[in-house]
Amino acid sequence: MRQRCRGAKSRDRRAAIAITGGLTSIPDELGAQCGRNGGDGGGPEANGALVIRPWRLLVVQGDLRAAVRVAPSGCTLIGFNVDTTYNAEDRRDLFATSTVQVGIETPANLPLLRATAGMGVLWGGPMRPVAVVGVAAGTRGQNMRLLLTVERMQSRVDATEVVGFPRLDANSRPIVVRPSWYAVRVGVEVPLR
């Protein structure tokens, strides 16, 4: 009996590959670039991850994800005279990120719950830093496991704030914008032998 329990714990600690798909929002600063008045969109996202369990309850996860913006909300024109402009190179039609996260998860005898946090990079234009926090829930087992993940990501983008009417009396100043976005995905996690 003891050997069985010990074996189950060691099998659960091995590495796994997770493949998930879902939906993500894409912030205006990295999508439509309408300025302060909106233009966020979203679309489908695919994610691949390598999950390593080096110690009990500790998880290290490397992710590579890509999304395509298919549901832009469009730009809204509002009559006041403050706007934000972004570098056109920051617009990404293919929205790709890679991250490394560290987290904790429930013991092997309980349903899978995982919380992670980490850093990464945004691809497809000038490389931008990305911070990510996420939670995951899933099934347990020695073979394929079902997985549901929710993540919040945030980056840093340089922009220009324009105050006034552009052709009359505009004043501009550089600012830093910190766009954030969310992703919800479902998929499978497959332990490596």
Side-chain angles (χ1 to χ4, degrees):
M1 183 83 163
R2 282 185 185 167
Q3 286 180 336
R4 227 183 252 172
C5 292
R6 222 180 273 154
K9 286 182 181 177
S10 66
R11 280 194 298 272
D12 199 53
R13 281 192 284 204
R14 66 184 170 209
I17 293 176
I19 299 175
T20 57
L23 296 174
T24 186
S25 59
I26 297 177
D28 177 49
E29 297 85 348
L30 302 166
Q33 295 189 335
C34 293
R36 191 170 300 252
N37 302 323
D40 293 351
E45 179 184 74
N47 180 56
L50 175 62
V51 180
I52 300 172
R53 294 172 177 88
W55 295 285
R56 189 172 185 216
L57 306 180
L58 181 67
V59 175
V60 177
Q61 179 175 320
D63 287 274
L64 180 59
R65 50 183 88 66
V68 179
R69 188 171 65 103
V70 295
S73 64
C75 299
T76 305
L77 180 61
I78 298 180
F80 55 84
N81 59 350
V82 177
D83 199 6
T84 305
T85 60
Y86 310 102
N87 183 345
E89 292 178 351
D90 279 321
R91 181 185 172 114
R92 288 163 166 81
D93 293 319
L94 176 62
F95 198 71
T97 58
S98 58
T99 61
V100 174
Q101 302 175 59
V102 176
I104 57 172
E105 70 180 16
T106 53
N109 59 342
L110 296 173
L112 176 65
L113 295 173
R114 180 185 307 150
T116 57
M119 298 293 293
V121 70
L122 183 61
W123 303 96
M127 289 178 27
R128 300 284 182 220
V130 174
V132 60
V133 294
V135 294
T139 59
R140 293 285 191 179
Q142 296 179 22
N143 297 316
M144 190 180 309
R145 307 164 184 168
L146 298 177
L147 197 61
L148 169 68
T149 62
V150 178
E151 287 183 341
R152 180 188 188 273
M153 289 173 267
Q154 186 168 358
S155 190
R156 179 188 186 283
V157 176
D158 296 320
T160 303
E161 185 176 66
V162 180
V163 180
F165 295 100
R167 296 187 184 213
L168 300 175
D169 62 349
N171 294 318
S172 63
R173 66 183 179 105
I175 61 172
V176 174
V177 180
R178 291 178 175 80
S180 61
W181 61 99
Y182 296 86
V184 176
R185 295 184 295 271
V186 294
V188 296
E189 182 177 291
V190 181
L192 298 176
R193 303 260 174 225

